[in-house]
Amino acid sequence: MTTRHGPRVLHLLRKHGPLTRGRLGALSGLSRTTLYDVVATLLDEGAVLASVPQAILRKRGRPAEVLALNPEAGHVLGIEFARDAVRVAAMDASHEIVGTAHEPHGVDVAWPVRVDLAWRLADALTGGTLRSDGVNGIGVGMAGPPERSSLLTVRHGGVAELVRERFGTRAPVDHAARLAALAETVWGAATGAQDVLYLRLSHDVGGGLVVAGRLHRGAHGTAGQFGHITVDADGAPCECGKTGCLETVASVGAVLNACRSVGGPAMDLPELEAALGSGDRTAHSVVARAGAQVGRVLADLCHAVGPDVIVVGGELVAACPAVMESIAHELASHAVRGPGPQPEVRSSGLGSFAAALGAVALHRQRTSPTSLRRLVEAGVVA
Amino acid sequence: MTTRHGPRVLHLLRKHGPLTRGRLGALSGLSRTTLYDVVATLLDEGAVLASVPQAILRKRGRPAEVLALNPEAGHVLGIEFARDAVRVAAMDASHEIVGTAHEPHGVDVAWPVRVDLAWRLADALTGGTLRSDGVNGIGVGMAGPPERSSLLTVRHGGVAELVRERFGTRAPVDHAARLAALAETVWGAATGAQDVLYLRLSHDVGGGLVVAGRLHRGAHGTAGQFGHITVDADGAPCECGKTGCLETVASVGAVLNACRSVGGPAMDLPELEAALGSGDRTAHSVVARAGAQVGRVLADLCHAVGPDVIVVGGELVAACPAVMESIAHELASHAVRGPGPQPEVRSSGLGSFAAALGAVALHRQRTSPTSLRRLVEAGVVA
């Protein structure tokens, strides 16, 4: 209930300042019971404070409690540590995204430097309040294929510890592509859908599933590795040790390699984008072929998982939007006819900040902030 | 909470007869609060009745309420209408399966005859009480590929109506293979697992996903169509209109055809089973090849969905248990190494009654039976 109505109540308190429950009820249109539950949760989360103004106490009768935003409730931060950039998104106590920021860096930059970069970006986003107020929660998204087990475990654990030291709070770490799936469902191209399949075509190929509105991690966090579905058993070797994985034909690197292997020049992604823009036939046919293979995998996944909406994002889609046509065409021609509409394929609605926003959304599901009792003990609440 | 503790409370009432809340608390070991919630739900479901014995009413003080199983609470029935048989499972008010029954029939038998057959099997299973007491709920599983949309819709709707007329209550209808997935999770090979992938290799190939302990239907009920994942784009035509679907290589008919096409004799399933038993090399190699293709599809699905446990059932597995070895071998060799154990592949624990039991389990999730108020109005409760 709070998930739905909480942000509305917080928005009203932001707009009108402190309000009584009666006034809040009138402005929100919520029933007494619903409002009671919503406010109870917000109080418990520490997002809202309740107090009884002295002026009212002096009058007769039962004093009217006044509710206000807790100015001390810090921000929630989402951080994506990508291969070559740090991206940060910040949400304030009223559950509104106050901004996003990013900074590119070399792929060899050390982790303590990246974490410090994240801190500086976050501090700027939150108006320099990070040092004084701390944060209400952090989520972290990490790039990299989840199958590199020992490396991953060490790296995730190591980064989580660096973040905890720098920001003073624990941060859950998850795969960036999976977090992007969540963000697209909460704020992006799949808003309102219950079953969402998100695929990210970037330097690696990954994704995430949202099932019944919740992020689906699978056993041991292994769900969403769409990049390692086999598209050609006799295909190119993949970094994961298998051959012919989707990643070997639909990652940014695979598409650039394919351009070169059909006689084109060596290109980087902006050059491919320019070639597509100038109507280069080779570039178009390579991108179309990659899109078709993605479409076939998505068709198979539709049979298995049955999403309402498929969202495709990542750097390849941003640079080559034409890939979406091939994906949609191949998906439609391999779909089994069934009752109801076929799943829709949409481009990412959040672009490169999807994972950082998803790291924020992750925290919305794991609220464990300052309780009212702690605020009372700290003397914040009268 | 009731899901976990309800059956325990019902079991105690069955074993000991009517009990006070105090005695029930002592026997169950549940806290007062938990017991209160569990009993409230059971009362609301009509599975349990509360009464104050006259003997106690005459004493002083607060009378101790006595709880008892509601002897009038009918059975829950699960019915599978398979291609050539009707299968029924019955669960009593204490959530125990009281029995299963089936009767084979010709594939051309009309639907009213099948529904009547189900009624007679159910009446025998419930000790002839069906006419007098009715049922507390029914679930229905249907064979047949879900993609034959208009046919399916008409047929499901038609059968649901026939069942409602014959049994006097509405019955949710779902795909048999999907219900089998639920049953395997509740009572079968995947008991206790949260994320389960069930694949049924039978006259068609289908299955179901359980995600976070709940049956996942997907948008428009399209999840679990594993039989229509493409294994060979240049393969044989499939009934669904595509080519090279898993069903064209791993259904009972496909395996029997493959035996013939490599020079073996025309066989039916019992003959294939006998050939495997006698060490026939051709039969073994055909079954192994089908199993390998199933294993590769399961490996891809593991990357996408990340199940804890994979259960494989259906007539092909029952007749050719050796297929499981090929499946497990191929799955293991195509799995991406990751943190934590790899998903386990297990044979069905419930055999041919999995779908009928799943139809019962379906009803456990949709409880809407006689409420206490209606029992009071009917004079059942003092």
Side-chain angles (χ1 to χ4, degrees):
Chain A
M1 203 175 310
T2 310
T3 329
R4 244 173 56 227
H5 300 303
R8 193 155 145 211
V9 166
L10 291 168
H11 175 78
L12 288 170
L13 291 174
R14 237 165 85 101
K15 187 172 168 193
H16 298 278
L19 295 169
T20 62
R21 281 169 192 267
R23 187 90 188 102
L24 203 48
L27 288 168
S28 67
L30 297 174
S31 73
R32 270 171 77 111
T33 327
T34 304
L35 189 64
Y36 182 88
D37 288 344
V38 172
V39 168
T41 308
L42 293 173
L43 285 168
D44 195 46
E45 289 176 354
V48 160
L49 303 180
S51 63
V52 180
Q54 293 303 314
I56 293 176
L57 276 181
R58 281 189 219 105
K59 293 184 193 169
R60 283 207 232 158
R62 192 154 162 257
E65 198 179 52
V66 171
L67 300 165
L69 278 192
N70 178 2
E72 304 296 316
H75 291 80
V76 172
L77 300 174
I79 305 170
E80 182 194 6
F81 293 112
R83 208 175 54 101
D84 55 2
V86 173
R87 300 190 184 93
V88 179
M91 180 173 78
D92 69 10
S94 71
H95 285 207
E96 296 201 22
I97 299 296
V98 295
T100 57
H102 81 289
E103 193 155 318
H105 57 66
V107 293
D108 298 328
V109 163
W111 282 102
V113 178
R114 297 181 189 215
V115 171
D116 196 59
L117 193 52
W119 195 91
R120 282 186 284 122
L121 289 170
D123 198 47
L125 270 182
T126 57
T129 61
L130 218 50
R131 196 180 307 265
S132 56
D133 300 346
V135 290
N136 215 339
I138 307 183
V140 172
M142 301 261 306
E147 68 278 9
R148 294 200 211 135
S149 66
S150 56
L151 181 62
L152 179 93
T153 310
V154 170
R155 226 169 61 180
H156 274 202
V159 172
E161 181 59 23
L162 286 172
V163 170
R164 197 191 60 73
E165 280 170 14
R166 190 69 181 89
F167 288 82
T169 185
R170 280 179 196 282
V173 179
D174 213 324
H175 302 310
R178 185 179 290 160
L179 296 179
L182 182 61
E184 292 289 353
T185 307
V186 175
W187 294 294
T191 306
Q194 283 297 297
D195 294 311
V196 177
L197 191 159
Y198 172 84
L199 177 70
R200 190 165 80 155
L201 305 175
S202 190
H203 291 276
D204 54 10
V205 172
L209 287 173
V210 171
V211 171
R214 297 182 63 86
L215 198 54
H216 172 60
R217 292 187 173 81
H220 319 294
T222 50
Q225 300 180 63
F226 306 131
H228 299 289
I229 289 176
T230 306
V231 294
D232 176 9
D234 304 320
C238 180
E239 283 196 16
C240 75
K242 300 199 301 160
T243 52
C245 294
L246 180 62
E247 187 167 298
T248 66
V249 301
S251 68
V252 167
V255 169
L256 294 176
N257 279 342
C259 288
R260 210 165 44 225
S261 74
V262 294
M267 290 193 275
D268 61 13
L269 197 55
E271 286 164 346
L272 174 61
E273 188 172 2
L276 289 167
S278 68
D280 181 305
R281 281 205 182 178
T282 308
H284 272 282
S285 93
V286 163
V287 166
R289 212 154 42 228
Q293 284 179 291
V294 169
R296 284 196 286 274
V297 167
L298 289 177
D300 283 342
L301 290 175
C302 284
H303 299 145
V305 179
D308 295 293
V309 177
I310 295 170
V311 179
V312 186
E315 284 153 275
L316 187 72
V317 178
C320 318
V323 75
M324 293 299 290
E325 287 165 41
S326 314
I327 292 173
H329 178 267
E330 200 70 15
L331 173 63
S333 67
H334 280 76
V336 167
R337 309 283 163 266
Q342 299 291 311
E344 248 187 272
V345 196
R346 301 179 189 160
S347 299
S348 163
L350 302 172
S352 63
F353 281 102
L357 289 165
V360 168
L362 188 68
H363 212 276
R364 281 168 42 121
Q365 294 190 332
R366 295 193 180 208
T367 316
S368 62
T370 330
S371 74
L372 180 61
R373 189 162 49 76
R374 278 166 54 198
L375 287 172
V376 172
E377 286 164 7
V380 174
V381 184
Chain B
M1 206 175 308
T2 310
T3 330
R4 244 171 58 227
H5 301 303
R8 194 156 144 208
V9 166
L10 291 167
H11 175 78
L12 289 170
L13 291 174
R14 236 164 84 99
K15 187 171 168 195
H16 298 280
L19 294 169
T20 61
R21 281 169 192 266
R23 186 91 187 101
L24 203 48
L27 288 168
S28 67
L30 297 174
S31 73
R32 271 171 74 112
T33 327
T34 305
L35 189 63
Y36 181 88
D37 288 345
V38 172
V39 167
T41 308
L42 292 173
L43 285 168
D44 195 47
E45 289 176 355
V48 160
L49 303 180
S51 64
V52 180
Q54 292 303 314
I56 293 175
L57 275 182
R58 278 187 223 109
K59 292 185 194 168
R60 283 208 231 156
R62 194 156 161 255
E65 198 178 48
V66 172
L67 300 166
L69 279 192
N70 178 2
E72 304 295 318
H75 292 80
V76 171
L77 300 174
I79 305 171
E80 182 195 4
F81 293 113
R83 207 176 54 101
D84 56 0
V86 174
R87 299 189 186 93
V88 178
M91 180 173 79
D92 69 12
S94 70
H95 285 209
E96 296 202 22
I97 300 295
V98 295
T100 56
H102 81 290
E103 194 156 315
H105 58 64
V107 293
D108 299 329
V109 164
W111 282 102
V113 177
R114 296 180 189 217
V115 172
D116 196 58
L117 194 51
W119 195 90
R120 282 187 283 122
L121 289 170
D123 198 47
L125 269 182
T126 57
T129 62
L130 218 51
R131 195 179 308 267
S132 56
D133 300 345
V135 290
N136 215 338
I138 307 185
V140 172
M142 301 259 308
E147 68 276 11
R148 297 203 209 131
S149 66
S150 57
L151 181 63
L152 179 95
T153 310
V154 170
R155 226 168 64 179
H156 275 202
V159 172
E161 182 58 23
L162 286 172
V163 169
R164 199 192 59 73
E165 281 170 14
R166 191 68 182 88
F167 288 82
T169 186
R170 280 178 196 285
V173 178
D174 213 324
H175 302 309
R178 185 179 290 161
L179 296 179
L182 182 61
E184 293 289 353
T185 308
V186 175
W187 294 295
T191 307
Q194 285 295 296
D195 294 310
V196 176
L197 191 159
Y198 172 83
L199 177 71
R200 189 165 80 157
L201 306 175
S202 189
H203 291 277
D204 53 10
V205 172
L209 286 173
V210 171
V211 172
R214 297 184 63 87
L215 199 53
H216 172 60
R217 291 187 173 82
H220 319 295
T222 50
Q225 300 180 65
F226 306 130
H228 299 289
I229 289 175
T230 305
V231 294
D232 176 9
D234 304 318
C238 180
E239 284 196 17
C240 75
K242 299 198 302 160
T243 51
C245 295
L246 180 62
E247 187 167 298
T248 67
V249 301
S251 68
V252 168
V255 170
L256 294 177
N257 279 343
C259 287
R260 212 164 46 226
S261 74
V262 294
M267 291 192 276
D268 60 12
L269 196 56
E271 285 164 347
L272 175 61
E273 188 172 3
L276 290 167
S278 68
D280 182 303
R281 282 204 182 177
T282 307
H284 272 283
S285 93
V286 165
V287 166
R289 212 153 42 228
Q293 284 178 292
V294 170
R296 283 195 286 273
V297 167
L298 290 178
D300 283 342
L301 289 175
C302 284
H303 300 145
V305 179
D308 295 293
V309 176
I310 297 170
V311 179
V312 187
E315 285 155 271
L316 188 72
V317 178
C320 318
V323 76
M324 294 297 292
E325 286 165 42
S326 313
I327 292 173
H329 177 266
E330 201 70 16
L331 173 62
S333 68
H334 280 77
V336 167
R337 310 282 163 265
Q342 299 291 310
E344 248 187 273
V345 196
R346 300 177 189 163
S347 300
S348 161
L350 302 171
S352 63
F353 281 102
L357 288 165
V360 168
L362 188 67
H363 211 277
R364 281 168 41 122
Q365 293 190 334
R366 293 192 180 210
T367 314
S368 62
T370 331
S371 74
L372 180 61
R373 190 162 49 76
R374 277 165 57 200
L375 286 172
V376 171
E377 285 163 8
V380 174
V381 184

